[in-house]
């Protein structure tokens, strides 16, 4: 009854426009470490021999420099790139899997600026995503542990502790777990399922904290039921237009539980600081008032085929819209370059109703 599992394990997201002032040139950029799923993946999956979810082929990257597909699930840069730009980098740090292909000198040099571990199809739970075809959050944390060890060999333990305490750790994950729940016809109650996901999330945050992470920029789950793919599910299952609200209800519950968890950790862990982006509110506000952000289409994919351009994947035979700036969604799951840019603006300098208790730019400051 549901959309195919291998499609639904990818992530959708959409966000709102706010004014922003980026990191000034005279401020030292902190190292940036990014964990998560396809909205932050900058090429991890193309280094996985059995990866199902890949975007290293046209028309992905059509608006990237030199129209180059890089493994990003976007027509151009993604939100990880734009957040990194606001912190003074040219784009997201490279994929950790790419860094492993470099010679030892270049590998160590890159690590001083950070790394991106995000993998398309990944979830908080290890069972989310086909085994061997994604890098789940737990494995991403293990990869960061290796980074910590390499940095320690370079700088010494005390210097690494100091560096990591100022570094930014951005995590965007959880949507694929919700997709997985529906794709497997899971009979567990919503509250019990979200509790398991949040408990697992806690375990991974604690591992990062013990490895030296102190500043966490977390992005919660958007209204995943409003992706073109899930709108199509709503249409096929119930014969009505609109979002698949059952999934959105899971997303709301996830956000509330994550907010409670982070608030608790900030009162219990010395030095722990966080900024939580409310992916649901940011997204739904754009969907309900697209003109305010310059969008004309928030229902269909720019790249695809069939109803809502969501009945076939984005590939060499797909129909591609002519003006990507007017579309919220690039493919049946993922935002356009413009939507990703607006997301990064909101996360970096948005008000508390979108990102709380502080935004990402405030998180970077030492209080």
């Amino acid at each position: 009854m549901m959309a195919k599992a291998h499609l639904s394990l990818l992530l959708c997201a959409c966000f709102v426009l706010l004014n922003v002032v980026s990191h000034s040139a005279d401020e030292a950029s902190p190292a940036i470490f990014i964990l998560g799923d396809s909205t932050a993946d900058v090429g991890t999956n193309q280094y996985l021999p059995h990866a199902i979810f890949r975007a290293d082929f046209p028309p992905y990257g059509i608006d990237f420099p030199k129209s180059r597909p890089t493994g990003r699930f976007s027509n151009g840069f993604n939100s990880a790139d734009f957040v990194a730009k606001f912190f003074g980098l040219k784009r997201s740090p490279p994929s950790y899997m790419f860094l492993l292909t470099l010679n030892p000198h270049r590998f160590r040099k890159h690590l001083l600026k950070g790394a991106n571990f995000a993998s398309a199809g990944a979830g908080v739970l290890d069972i989310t995503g086909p085994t061997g075809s994604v890098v789940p959050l737990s494995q991403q944390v293990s990869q960061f542990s290796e980074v910590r060890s390499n940095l320690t060999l370079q700088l010494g333990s005390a210097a690494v502790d100091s560096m990591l305490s100022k570094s930014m750790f951005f995590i965007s994950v959880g949507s694929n777990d919700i997709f997985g729940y529906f794709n497997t016809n899971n009979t567990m109650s919503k509250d019990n399922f979200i509790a398991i996901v949040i408990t697992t999330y806690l375990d991974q945050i604690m591992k990062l904290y013990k490895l030296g992470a102190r500043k966490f920029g977390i992005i919660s789950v958007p209204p995943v039921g409003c992706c073109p793919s899930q709108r199509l599910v709503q249409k096929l299952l119930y014969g009505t237009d609109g979002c698949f609200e059952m999934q959105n209800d899971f997303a709301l519950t996830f956000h509330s539980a994550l907010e409670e968890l982070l608030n608790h950790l900030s009162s219990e862990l010395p030095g722990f600081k966080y900024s939580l982006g409310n992916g649901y509110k940011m997204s739904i506000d754009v969907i309900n008032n697209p003109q305010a952000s310059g969008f004309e289409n928030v229902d269909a994919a720019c790249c695809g085929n069939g109803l809502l351009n969501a009945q076939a994947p984005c590939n060499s035979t797909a129909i591609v819209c002519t003006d990507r700036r007017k579309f919220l969604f690039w493919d049946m799951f993922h935002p356009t370059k413009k939507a990703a840019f607006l997301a990064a603006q909101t996360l970096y300098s948005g008000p508390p109703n979108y990102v709380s208790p502080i935004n990402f730019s405030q998180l970077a400051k030492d209080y």
Side-chain angles (χ1 to χ4, degrees), residues 41-113:
D41 189 343
V42 294
T44 292
N45 280 23
Q46 61 189 316
Y47 294 96
L48 304 178
H50 303 295
I52 299 172
F53 315 123
R54 296 177 63 149
D56 53 339
F57 50 85
Y60 287 100
I62 190 173
D63 297 312
F64 197 82
K66 299 182 180 179
S67 296
R68 181 166 56 96
T70 61
R72 291 165 171 82
F73 289 80
S74 171
N75 57 306
F77 289 115
N78 63 24
S79 56
D81 292 306
F82 288 120
V83 168
K85 281 173 177 281
F86 288 129
F87 281 100
L89 302 182
K90 290 184 178 180
R91 61 190 63 169
S92 166
S95 163
Y96 176 72
M97 300 295 286
F98 165 76
L99 295 180
L100 291 176
T101 69
L102 303 178
N103 65 54
H105 174 73
R106 292 185 64 200
F107 176 74
R108 291 191 295 267
K109 183 178 179 181
H110 273 287
L111 291 186
L112 296 174
K113 293 184 179 180

Side-chain angles (χ1 to χ4, degrees), residues 77-158:
F77 289 115
N78 63 24
S79 56
D81 292 306
F82 288 120
V83 168
K85 281 173 177 281
F86 288 129
F87 281 100
L89 302 182
K90 290 184 178 180
R91 61 190 63 169
S92 166
S95 163
Y96 176 72
M97 300 295 286
F98 165 76
L99 295 180
L100 291 176
T101 69
L102 303 178
N103 65 54
H105 174 73
R106 292 185 64 200
F107 176 74
R108 291 191 295 267
K109 183 178 179 181
H110 273 287
L111 291 186
L112 296 174
K113 293 184 179 180
N116 186 319
F117 306 92
S119 171
V124 176
L125 304 177
D126 284 351
I127 61 172
T128 298
T131 302
S133 68
V134 303
V135 184
L137 183 61
S138 62
Q139 190 176 339
Q140 294 178 36
V141 173
S142 296
Q143 290 175 340
F144 172 71
S145 179
E146 293 296 321
V147 168
R148 159 90 204 202
S149 297
N150 274 278
L151 289 171
T152 301
L153 288 175
Q154 287 189 72
L155 307 174
S157 184

Side-chain angles (χ1 to χ4, degrees), residues 178-232:
I178 295 175
F179 285 138
Y181 174 94
F182 281 86
N183 283 331
T184 57
N185 296 315
N186 198 319
T187 58
M188 187 183 301
S189 73
K190 177 191 67 177
D191 290 341
N192 286 346
F193 176 74
I194 296 299
I196 290 172
V197 174
I198 292 297
T199 299
T200 308
Y201 209 152
L202 167 62
D203 291 342
Q204 302 310 321
I205 291 175
M206 288 301 301
K207 288 178 182 177
L208 288 170
Y209 179 83
K210 290 175 181 177
L211 289 167
R214 292 296 181 269
K215 297 184 177 184
F216 292 83
I218 309 289
I219 302 138
S220 70
V221 174
V224 290
C226 294
C227 297
S229 63
Q230 304 311 298
R231 288 178 180 269
L232 184 61

